Every structure is written in C-alpha cells, then in structure tokens.
C-alpha cells in the first residue's frame, strides 16, 4: 500500500476582514480631546499660588477663587440678569443680520451683473472693522439699545453674506449641468440643487456671525450700558472686583462654546444628505 501524504495545514490566523475591530474607549477619547484645556485650567489654578508673587496674584487669582465668585453671581441673580440682557441684544442683531444676509447673498450670487456691480463695495465694507465704527453708531443712534444692536447687525452681516455668495458660487458645475439636462427649471434647480449644496458654507458663515455677535456685543456693552456681560466685566475691573471680572469672562467663554456647539448640531441636521467621511 502506498500512503498519500497530505500537505500540512497552515493556520494563518483570522482574515483581515474577520479581525475584530478594537473598540474605542470613550473616556480615553474624551481625555485626549480635552487634555489641553485641563492642562490650562491646572496651570491657571497652580501658577498664581506657587509661581507668582502676592502683587501679581492680586490681578491673576487662582481659578478656584474665580469659580467661587461665579457661583456667588449665580446665587444672587446678577449673572442671570446680565446674561439675559446680553443674549437679548445679541439675538436681535444676529437674527436681523441672518434674515437680511442670506436672501441678499443668494440674490447676488445668482445674478452675476449684480455681483459685479456690488463686489467693490462689499470688499470695502467687509474690511472695515465693526469696532472702528462704534463711535459712528454711538453718535448717530445714541448710547442706547439701538446703536448696540445696529453694530451687531453690521458685524454679523458680512460673514453670512460672503459665505452665502461663496456657497452658491462653489457648487459643482457638473452637478448643475446634469440637473439642467434632466429638464429642471431655474427655480427648481435653485431649490433642489444650488441651495442644498450651499447649505454647509452658509452655516459656516452663520456660525462665524454667532461668534461675532457675542464678541462685538461685549465691547459695545463696555460703553454706555447699564447691564450685560460686557458691562459686568468693565464695572468689575473699575471697582477692583478681579474675581468677579474673571467670572464674567469665563461666562462669555462658556456661552461662546455653547452657541458654537448648537450651530454645529443644527448644521448636521440640515446637512444629513452629505456622505460622512470615514475616520
């Protein structure tokens, strides 16, 4: 009898497709994304206590003291009053700016002759800092609410307007040509192709405007205001309430982060048609 030798089986392990994926640890991911902030906060707490002299420490107190001042402002209701005053002004100016800028930007981008006519004026206006016009708005409109809201409108108009124009102008020409070949009319083309494609860029401008509405307002509230976060910061500095001043600054930072996160979520909601990129 002759025996048939079989080739030994070689175990090469799991196939590439069958390899189990390592699950990402959410805690590790959260720590990595916030490590720089945690390090900054730790430095803010420890440096004034161990590295700065007593005189300098007066103007840069540890974070814990600032948080205590923040908690006191929350408890006595002052923070809520100033926060609501700032949010009211900021929201009014922001809504007016978006309501004007988006339709105007779509109109300018859709009609090229109008864009060519207005482009020099737009370039001149967008390069004029809003805070440089604060004295002009104050002289013309007074130091009340109207001048502050008008300044916010001016600051917020340009990022929304220019990003709306850019969003329409950067739509893929092949996509437009394909839509026209399918017989879409101009209104349908604009509604079903141009506008959805421009939404991400438009929302980028809206997010920038939301940030500007807070930043410009804080500066405007330092002149002639009787309430608001900007007034709270300036008044605390004048009265040498340093911890309270930093507490107001922390509030502005947290408010900016919250507003940005809200608009990021809103952008994702209106851009669900986009293909998500693989990590």
């Amino acid at each position: 009898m002759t025996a048939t030798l079989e080739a030994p089986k070689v175990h090469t392990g799991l196939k590439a497709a069958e390899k189990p994926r390592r699950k990402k640890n959410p805690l590790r991911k959260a720590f990595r994304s916030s490590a720089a902030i945690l390090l900054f906060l730790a430095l803010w707490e420890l440096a004034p206590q161990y590295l700065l002299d007593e005189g300098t420490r007066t103007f840069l107190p540890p974070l814990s003291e600032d948080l205590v001042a923040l908690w006191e402002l929350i408890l006595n209701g002052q923070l809520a009053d100033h926060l609501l005053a700032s949010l009211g002004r900021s929201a009014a100016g922001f809504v007016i700016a978006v309501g004007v800028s988006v339709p105007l930007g779509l109109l300018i981008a859709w009609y090229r002759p109008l864009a060519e006519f207005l482009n020099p004026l737009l370039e001149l206006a967008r390069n004029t800092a809003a805070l440089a016009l604060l004295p002009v708005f104050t002289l013309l409109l007074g130091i009340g609410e109207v001048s502050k809201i008008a300044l916010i409108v001016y600051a917020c108009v340009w990022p929304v307007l220019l990003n709306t124009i850019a969003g329409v102008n950067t739509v893929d020409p092949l996509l437009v040509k394909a839509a026209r070949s399918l017989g879409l009319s101009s209104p349908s083309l604009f509604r079903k192709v141009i506008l959805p494609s421009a939404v991400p860029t438009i929302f980028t401008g809206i997010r920038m405007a939301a940030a500007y509405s807070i930043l410009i307002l804080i500066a405007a509230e330092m002149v002639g205001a009787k309430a608001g976060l900007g007034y709270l910061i300036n008044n605390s500095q004048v009265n040498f309430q340093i911890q309270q001043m930093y507490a107001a600054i922390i509030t502005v930072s947290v408010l900016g982060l919250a507003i940005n996160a809200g608009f990021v979520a809103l952008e994702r909601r209106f851009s669900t048609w986009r293909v998500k990129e693989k990590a």
Side-chain angles (χ1 to χ4, degrees), residues 78-245:
Q78 289 187 55
L79 186 64
D81 294 338
H82 292 296
L83 183 60
L84 289 175
S86 292
L87 285 177
R89 298 180 185 122
S90 177
F94 173 76
V95 169
I96 294 173
V98 173
V100 171
S101 301
V102 172
L104 183 60
L106 295 174
L107 183 65
I108 292 174
W110 191 249
Y111 295 101
R112 293 299 175 88
L114 182 61
E116 294 174 357
F117 175 73
L118 292 177
N119 187 61
L121 180 61
L122 296 179
E123 289 295 325
L124 175 64
R126 77 163 182 166
N127 287 292
T128 303
L131 289 179
L133 297 177
L134 177 58
V136 177
F137 282 94
T138 302
L139 288 172
L140 295 177
L141 302 174
I143 61 174
E145 300 297 313
V146 177
S147 62
K148 294 175 178 56
I149 294 175
L151 186 66
I152 295 170
V153 171
Y154 179 85
C156 295
V157 156
W158 306 113
V160 180
L161 179 65
L162 297 174
N163 275 275
T164 301
I165 295 172
V168 175
N169 290 335
T170 54
V171 176
D172 189 353
L174 295 178
L175 188 63
V176 176
K177 187 177 294 185
R180 289 191 182 278
S181 67
L182 293 175
L184 264 69
S185 62
S186 292
S188 298
L189 173 66
F190 184 81
R191 188 178 68 256
K192 296 181 179 181
V193 178
I194 302 295
L195 192 56
S197 299
V199 162
T201 308
I202 293 174
F203 263 97
T204 299
I206 292 175
R207 285 170 55 195
M208 292 173 61
Y212 289 173
S213 69
I214 297 296
L215 297 176
I216 298 298
L217 175 66
I218 298 304
E221 286 179 340
M222 293 182 178
V223 180
K226 296 182 179 180
L229 294 175
Y231 167 80
L232 179 61
I233 293 172
N234 188 58
N235 187 64
S236 300
Q237 185 267 333
V238 170
N239 293 307
F240 211 69
Q241 297 173 317
I242 305 302
Q243 289 86 352
Q244 185 170 289
M245 180 190 74

Side-chain angles (χ1 to χ4, degrees), residues 3 37 45 59 71-72 76 85 99 103 109 121 130 145 148 184 211 252 274 276:
I37 296 178
E45 174 65 26
F59 300 103
W71 182 245
E72 291 177 354
N76 60 30
L121 180 61
E145 300 297 313
K148 294 175 178 56
L184 264 69
V252 173
R274 299 176 68 190
K276 294 183 180 179

Side-chain angles (χ1 to χ4, degrees), residues 31-48:
F31 176 77
R32 290 178 61 182
S33 61
S34 59
I37 296 178
L38 295 175
L39 181 62
F40 170 73
L41 296 179
L43 184 63
W44 188 353
E45 174 65 26
L46 298 176

Side-chain angles (χ1 to χ4, degrees), residues 251-268:
T251 303
V252 173
S253 301
V254 173
L255 178 62
L257 288 174
I259 290 175
N260 183 72
F263 278 102
V264 168
L266 192 62
E267 179 183 354
R268 290 174 180 170

